[in-house]
Amino acid sequence: MASVPSLASSVNQRVADALASALPEAGATDPLLRRSDRADFQANGILALAKKAKANPRELATTVVEGIPTGDLIQGIEVSGPGFLNITITDKAIIETLAARAGDDRLGVPLAANPGTTVIDYAQPNVAKEMHVGHLRSAVIGAAMVEILEFTGEKVVRRHHIGDWGTQFGMLIQYLLEHPHELDHKSDEEVSGEEAMSNLNRLYKASRALFDSDEEFKTRARARVVDLQAGEPETLALWQRFVDESKIYFYSVFNKLDMDIRDADVVGESGYNDMLVETCKLLEESGVAVRSNGALCVFFDDVKGPDGNPTPLIVQKSDGGFGYAATDLSAIRNRVAELGATTLIYVVDARQSLHFKMVFETARRAGWLSDEVKAVQLAFGTVLGKDGKPFKTREGETVRLVDLLDEAVERATTVVRSKDEERGLLTEQEIVENGLQVGIGAVKYADLSTSAARDYKFDLDQMVSLTGDTSVYLQYAYARIRSILRNAGDRSPVAHPELALAPAERALGLHLDGFGALIEEAATDHAPHKVAAYLYQLASLFTTFYTECPVVKPQPELVVGENRLFLCELTARTLNKGMSLLGIRTPEKL
């Protein structure tokens, strides 16, 4: 397993060395190298260096060019404008570098130099409540970040902070106590997620109706909250039944999303109960939190309400109850001290940004976060309907997540079936399996191809379209390459560095070489959408290459054909790896 230096990093080093020898007194200077449409790369760093050294930039550029060896890596350099360097790479260097990538299981992508431990908090449904479209983004973005970070060598601990505590459980538990068979299953066979959710929904509605109409039941329900918080055994046992029933449902939805959620990683609000009193004590004794009207509060200079008065973070209410802040701060203590986190990532709706800003600042003041341990909110925007308003059903209800996923799979299966009618390549079982992978892939990709912070429109017609920036386009590109490789006859993929490359081959090759740098950037910036953008561009460059450069028909000269099959195979492997990092499957035949 060897990481392969990218062409960009090799060129960067050559230019940096030449800059250092042209002006040794200036010290290390960044060549500011980037891809260019005028050449393969452009280096812009000479302008800043010339300004610092009070030198003529064009003259300095000429001196620098003289100090850069050409032939093996760099084919030619020209000075442009006020001192830009336009740099062209040799065809030989492109293919040799790609051959080194192809020879490695990781495509030559380096592991992070100093990996740490990231605890990522994502996919946080609520017990006894249905998952709706709003739960989609946290799950999909979080799962992709887990894969990307793990691929860079980071130790990743998953945490699903489910809503499994609070006053509403008094009402539910009391109702179950008085109607003990409401959560019983119809048979001893495995219970479906739908059955579990319909049990919970029915019980929730019935208990809510009783709570609102019967004062005596309301009193009993409120007393039951006190029992729950005190850990009374019978109450806890009934509470556990709600959690277990909800998990049957949660796991069925995550399974539909083709997502691996492990039981050990589900640590809900209740998991931090034993720490709440101590968290408050530590905050109060250190002076980070103060009593205000009986409540334990943390104040901030820059957080004020509409009336201009400070809006505090309330850690403990005046009646002694604990708010979300106490739980979130306890979770930070646990994740840093017990799990050894160096980074905490919270994949949470942007509307909770103020809460998390205050929680993180409180944790910093208390010393639980530091320069060595950072916490970030990977805030995401809202899922909108085609009309640009928050996504709702015609009746104005929030959209059930399972309905959405089922419809996506149904639409995708129709697309796969109609596409196959012309060619008859797939069996019925393959059509059904591919429909599943294309439908779920379409939903995930639509989410991940938008920057997390932005809202996006949920438009299934667009999502399962074979053209444009969709996962189906990428899945078809992959399947098409696999088909090309199967149909290549006795020819096999072989790299030929001695060949001259066509423009479309060079463009594809240079993009393939950028995969490692892209993964590093996506991991550092917590930006899975950058992976999606890279893959879409890769598929587009491959389409151009395949149109302009015959691979199998008309049959090119043997070595040219082998080299083009080599580019096909590396493109397929890169697409497959990139899509798997986004949690999307790539069918071999489509």
Side-chain angles (χ1 to χ4, degrees):
M1 196 172 73
S3 71
V4 177
S6 68
L7 293 163
S9 66
S10 303
V11 170
N12 201 63
Q13 191 58 55
R14 293 261 176 114
V15 179
D17 291 347
L19 283 169
S21 51
L23 266 182
E25 66 275 14
T29 302
D30 185 353
L32 298 177
L33 193 76
R34 59 178 182 82
R35 289 296 306 279
S36 167
D37 49 7
R38 299 175 180 223
D40 295 331
F41 295 101
Q42 189 175 74
N44 301 339
I46 286 172
L47 298 180
L49 186 62
K51 194 172 176 186
K52 202 156 77 173
K54 299 189 170 47
N56 177 309
R58 269 194 81 91
E59 284 173 17
L60 180 58
T62 310
T63 311
V64 169
V65 169
E66 286 164 3
I68 299 176
T70 54
D72 57 339
L73 170 67
I74 294 173
Q75 186 171 321
I77 310 177
E78 61 172 32
V79 178
S80 150
F84 301 132
L85 302 184
N86 287 337
I87 302 164
T88 307
I89 306 292
T90 64
D91 292 346
K92 180 170 178 281
I94 293 174
I95 296 299
E96 280 179 347
T97 301
L98 294 183
R101 293 198 177 287
D104 178 51
D105 288 347
R106 291 175 52 82
L107 300 168
V109 176
L111 291 162
N114 299 301
T117 298
T118 293
V119 177
I120 180 160
D121 188 325
Y122 68 108
Q124 312 105 339
N126 292 313
V127 165
K129 286 192 181 166
E130 194 129 30
M131 288 174 73
H132 56 78
V133 69
H135 290 111
L136 179 68
R137 300 208 72 185
S138 175
V140 170
I141 295 166
M145 273 319 305
V146 168
E147 296 297 327
I148 292 166
L149 288 167
E150 284 189 334
F151 188 54
T152 67
E154 184 80 357
K155 181 186 171 190
V156 179
V157 181
R158 302 156 167 84
R159 276 293 174 264
H160 309 294
H161 191 88
I162 63 170
D164 66 353
W165 204 248
T167 52
Q168 76 277 17
F169 283 99
M171 171 183 92
L172 294 168
I173 293 166
Q174 188 60 36
Y175 190 87
L176 186 59
L177 192 70
E178 296 173 16
H179 304 79
H181 299 294
E182 283 298 298
L183 285 183
D184 291 357
H185 297 144
K186 290 172 191 160
S187 70
D188 293 337
E189 289 169 32
E190 197 174 332
V191 184
S192 71
E194 280 291 320
E195 187 191 327
M197 196 61 237
S198 81
N199 279 346
L200 290 164
N201 262 340
R202 191 183 61 250
L203 197 150
Y204 188 88
K205 282 177 184 159
S207 64
R208 168 53 70 187
L210 198 56
F211 187 86
D212 291 342
S213 63
D214 183 334
E215 282 302 319
E216 288 179 5
F217 175 76
K218 186 182 281 191
T219 304
R220 293 196 298 278
R222 285 183 170 151
R224 188 61 55 186
V225 177
V226 178
D227 292 340
L228 177 65
Q229 289 173 340
E232 193 273 314
E234 186 189 21
T235 305
L236 274 182
L238 290 168
W239 166 81
Q240 190 63 50
R241 285 192 66 188
F242 282 101
V243 175
D244 292 343
E245 194 78 4
S246 298
K247 280 183 175 178
I248 295 170
Y249 163 69
F250 295 159
Y251 294 160
S252 74
V253 179
F254 289 127
N255 201 32
K256 219 176 258 253
L257 263 173
D258 194 15
M259 208 170 271
D260 178 25
I261 303 282
R262 301 168 201 158
D263 208 52
D265 302 331
V266 179
V267 183
E269 293 168 358
S270 63
Y272 306 99
N273 280 348
D274 295 348
M275 300 176 70
L276 301 179
V277 171
E278 190 185 16
T279 295
C280 291
K281 188 168 169 243
L282 291 168
L283 290 171
E284 192 166 10
E285 284 177 356
S286 62
V288 172
V290 294
R291 292 280 164 191
S292 174
N293 297 327
L296 188 63
C297 302
V298 183
F299 288 92
F300 307 86
D301 292 340
D302 58 344
V303 184
K304 292 188 169 60
D307 56 2
N309 291 327
T311 303
L313 181 71
I314 299 173
V315 186
Q316 189 177 22
K317 300 171 200 163
S318 54
D319 64 4
F322 299 102
Y324 288 124
T327 307
D328 288 334
L329 288 162
S330 298
I332 289 175
R333 286 176 55 213
N334 169 267
R335 291 166 185 185
V336 175
E338 303 299 321
L339 304 177
T342 47
T343 305
L344 303 174
I345 300 176
Y346 291 78
V347 188
V348 183
D349 190 316
R351 286 171 293 196
Q352 294 188 44
S353 293
L354 179 60
H355 169 76
F356 278 100
K357 179 186 165 190
M358 292 160 82
V359 165
F360 296 162
E361 176 56 31
T362 300
R364 265 191 291 275
R365 290 180 191 176
W368 304 327
L369 294 176
S370 62
D371 292 343
E372 284 72 49
V373 185
K374 65 176 192 293
V376 286
Q377 182 192 356
L378 206 176
F380 56 82
T382 307
V383 182
L384 307 173
K386 285 187 192 179
D387 58 2
K389 294 175 182 163
F391 201 14
K392 296 270 197 282
T393 63
R394 285 201 183 98
E395 296 74 41
E397 302 281 316
T398 50
V399 180
R400 294 169 74 222
L401 188 49
V402 279
D403 293 344
L404 204 84
L405 300 178
D406 288 344
E407 191 182 347
V409 169
E410 198 181 305
R411 296 269 192 105
T413 307
T414 305
V415 169
V416 172
R417 194 185 300 282
S418 63
K419 181 85 174 161
D420 191 61
E421 275 166 6
E422 310 153 20
R423 302 168 304 164
L425 293 177
L426 305 174
T427 64
E428 179 59 25
Q429 188 186 350
E430 284 172 331
I431 288 173
V432 171
E433 277 176 18
N434 287 354
L436 200 61
Q437 295 182 10
V438 169
I440 297 302
V443 171
K444 288 182 175 180
Y445 187 85
D447 196 312
L448 293 168
S449 57
T450 309
S451 164
R454 289 175 52 194
D455 300 342
Y456 78 96
K457 285 184 186 174
F458 197 96
D459 180 349
L460 272 177
D461 295 329
Q462 175 52 36
M463 287 178 188
V464 297
S465 165
L466 297 169
T467 55
D469 188 2
T470 65
S471 73
V472 196
Y473 175 65
L474 300 179
Q475 286 167 320
Y476 264 103
Y478 175 77
R480 184 188 196 180
I481 300 171
R482 300 307 303 168
S483 167
I484 293 164
L485 293 167
R486 283 194 297 272
N487 296 334
D490 55 358
R491 298 187 168 206
S492 51
V494 181
H496 285 283
E498 73 280 5
L499 290 177
L501 297 177
E505 292 174 303
R506 299 184 96 255
L508 178 62
L510 284 164
H511 191 66
L512 282 166
D513 186 53
F515 186 58
L518 169 275
I519 295 298
E520 185 184 1
E521 190 181 335
T524 305
D525 298 349
H526 307 137
H529 71 278
K530 292 187 175 179
V531 178
Y534 172 91
L535 295 172
Y536 175 60
Q537 199 180 348
L538 178 61
S540 305
L541 287 166
F542 177 79
T543 303
T544 306
F545 154 78
Y546 190 65
T547 307
E548 294 180 8
C549 304
V551 178
V552 180
K553 291 177 187 170
Q555 199 167 64
E557 188 190 330
L558 178 65
V559 290
V560 173
E562 287 179 339
N563 199 56
R564 286 177 182 169
L565 283 170
F566 162 73
L567 285 171
C568 287
E569 186 178 61
L570 188 58
T571 301
R573 282 179 61 196
T574 307
L575 272 172
N576 175 267
K577 183 72 222 174
M579 291 290 266
S580 80
L581 294 177
L582 298 179
I584 299 171
R585 294 187 188 266
T586 38
E588 294 291 304
K589 287 197 291 185
L590 254 181

